[in-house]
Amino acid sequence: MAQGSVKVPDDSDFSRFQGQCESQEGWVNKYSKSGMEVWIDLPPPTPAHHGRSQNQVKIHKIKCRMAMKDVSAASMYDVLHDGEYRRKWDTNVIESFDIAQITINADVGYYSWRCPKPLKNRDVVTLRSWLVKDDEYMIINSSVKHPKYPPRKDLVRAISILAGFLIKPTGPNSCTFTYLCQADPRGSLPKWFVNKASQYLAPQVLKKMHRAGQCYAEWKQSNSPNKKPWLHPEQSAPLPFLSLSALDIQRTESLENVDESAVREERESEGEEDN
């Protein structure tokens, strides 16, 4: 396959992803409390005489792991896949839908979400793949360009460099839930700020998912309890199949730089007028 082309992750890709989730080498622990741990990977140190500009700052990978003592691995996997349920627990979602099927365990989807003011809301188009193996569950995604879903003027197109979940059972009703992410929200946010903020935001995301997992079984009983197309592909709503040749990797340099400083200044001005 030509370098830079889009490909569906294979077993070796999932194996490498699991290795990153489980490895301690190269990761620095930033938080450990009440069954939650957070790590970041640090880039190689830059020689002092070289310095480092904003464009050279690397977006860290962040890894969060939570011990969930009251939710099964299978339930958490269902929570991640169930688009109808997501609209109930994910209060930040604006739109979320599948665009096309690639293979039986890979699709392309769209997701947009609200950001706190004065930032613009974000969206992303990703290629998502999933694998169930030996009662362990993995979902991984990365950004792609789809010709029918270009960046919108009212949203900032974010980039998922790599994001995913590893869910491992620790008992019939317990699991370890690992979230690994390297994403660039784009816009005017400095990368150092993104790196710092993600260390605090990611644990909150996991706690929210945990609460969603605790409530899922009861909700599902009243909402198509036997419908789980991520486990039973024959239940899937018909999606158009899409050739990988129609997609391209979403690269940072191909996106317009969105300056959000005007929005920030406008909000500050409004605040002064209110006072």
Side-chain angles (χ1 to χ4, degrees), residues 11-268:
D11 286 350
S12 64
D13 294 309
F14 279 103
S15 179
R16 280 192 293 272
F17 175 77
Q18 183 168 1
Q20 290 186 70
C21 288
E22 296 178 335
S23 174
Q24 300 295 320
E25 185 177 353
W27 293 88
V28 177
N29 189 282
K30 305 297 288 188
Y31 180 90
S32 181
K33 185 178 180 181
S34 303
M36 174 83 73
E37 294 187 273
V38 178
W39 299 266
I40 61 169
D41 75 327
L42 293 178
T46 301
H49 63 278
H50 283 169
R52 178 174 285 186
S53 70
Q54 165 61 22
N55 292 332
Q56 293 174 311
V57 175
K58 174 190 172 187
I59 294 288
H60 293 159
K61 286 180 186 174
I62 184 166
K63 178 168 61 176
C64 298
R65 181 177 301 140
M66 186 174 187
M68 299 184 178
K69 299 179 180 180
D70 53 358
V71 185
S72 70
S75 287
M76 288 309 302
Y77 183 67
D78 291 345
V79 167
L80 293 174
H81 270 290
D82 198 322
E84 184 179 352
Y85 186 55
R86 179 161 199 160
R87 285 185 281 274
K88 179 177 176 63
W89 67 264
D90 186 353
T91 54
N92 294 320
V93 65
I94 300 173
E95 282 188 284
S96 180
F97 55 85
D98 298 330
I99 296 172
Q101 195 80 28
I102 303 297
T103 67
I104 197 170
N105 70 322
D107 61 20
V108 177
Y110 176 86
Y111 177 69
S112 58
W113 67 97
R114 299 177 186 88
C115 293
K117 294 179 180 179
L119 300 177
K120 285 189 173 183
N121 296 331
R122 261 65 177 171
D123 71 350
V124 67
V125 176
T126 59
L127 171 64
R128 178 184 65 162
S129 301
W130 53 93
L131 178 69
V132 180
K133 185 177 180 182
D134 300 328
D135 294 325
E136 297 179 354
Y137 305 84
M138 282 182 279
I139 302 175
I140 57 179
N141 74 62
S142 58
S143 284
V144 292
K145 288 198 291 187
H146 189 293
K148 294 184 178 180
Y149 294 90
R152 292 166 43 172
K153 293 295 184 182
D154 58 328
L155 298 169
V156 175
R157 177 60 50 89
I159 296 179
S160 172
I161 302 167
L162 173 67
F165 303 89
L166 169 65
I167 314 169
K168 301 181 68 172
T170 55
N173 293 296
S174 61
C175 66
T176 57
F177 187 89
T178 304
Y179 171 52
L180 187 147
C181 179
Q182 186 179 24
D184 187 348
R186 301 291 294 155
S188 62
L189 295 175
K191 288 183 172 60
W192 67 262
F193 177 81
V194 173
N195 289 334
K196 196 71 176 177
S198 61
Q199 297 174 37
Y200 299 97
L201 294 176
Q204 299 307 314
V205 172
L206 261 65
K207 290 177 182 178
K208 194 171 186 178
M209 289 180 174
H210 181 212
R211 290 193 293 269
Q214 291 171 319
C215 301
Y216 181 70
E218 181 179 356
W219 177 88
K220 190 62 175 172
Q221 286 180 0
S222 303
N223 294 270
S224 305
N226 297 317
K227 184 179 180 182
K228 295 184 178 182
W230 51 93
L231 298 178
H232 310 289
E234 67 278 5
Q235 298 177 347
S236 299
L239 276 175
F241 272 88
L242 184 69
S243 169
L244 285 175
S245 61
L247 301 173
D248 196 4
I249 296 174
Q250 181 67 77
R251 301 186 187 280
T252 302
E253 58 268 22
S254 68
L255 292 172
E256 178 185 1
N257 285 321
V258 178
D259 183 3
E260 294 171 292
S261 60
V263 179
R264 186 177 300 109
E265 290 166 0
E266 178 182 335
R267 296 294 182 187
E268 290 173 352

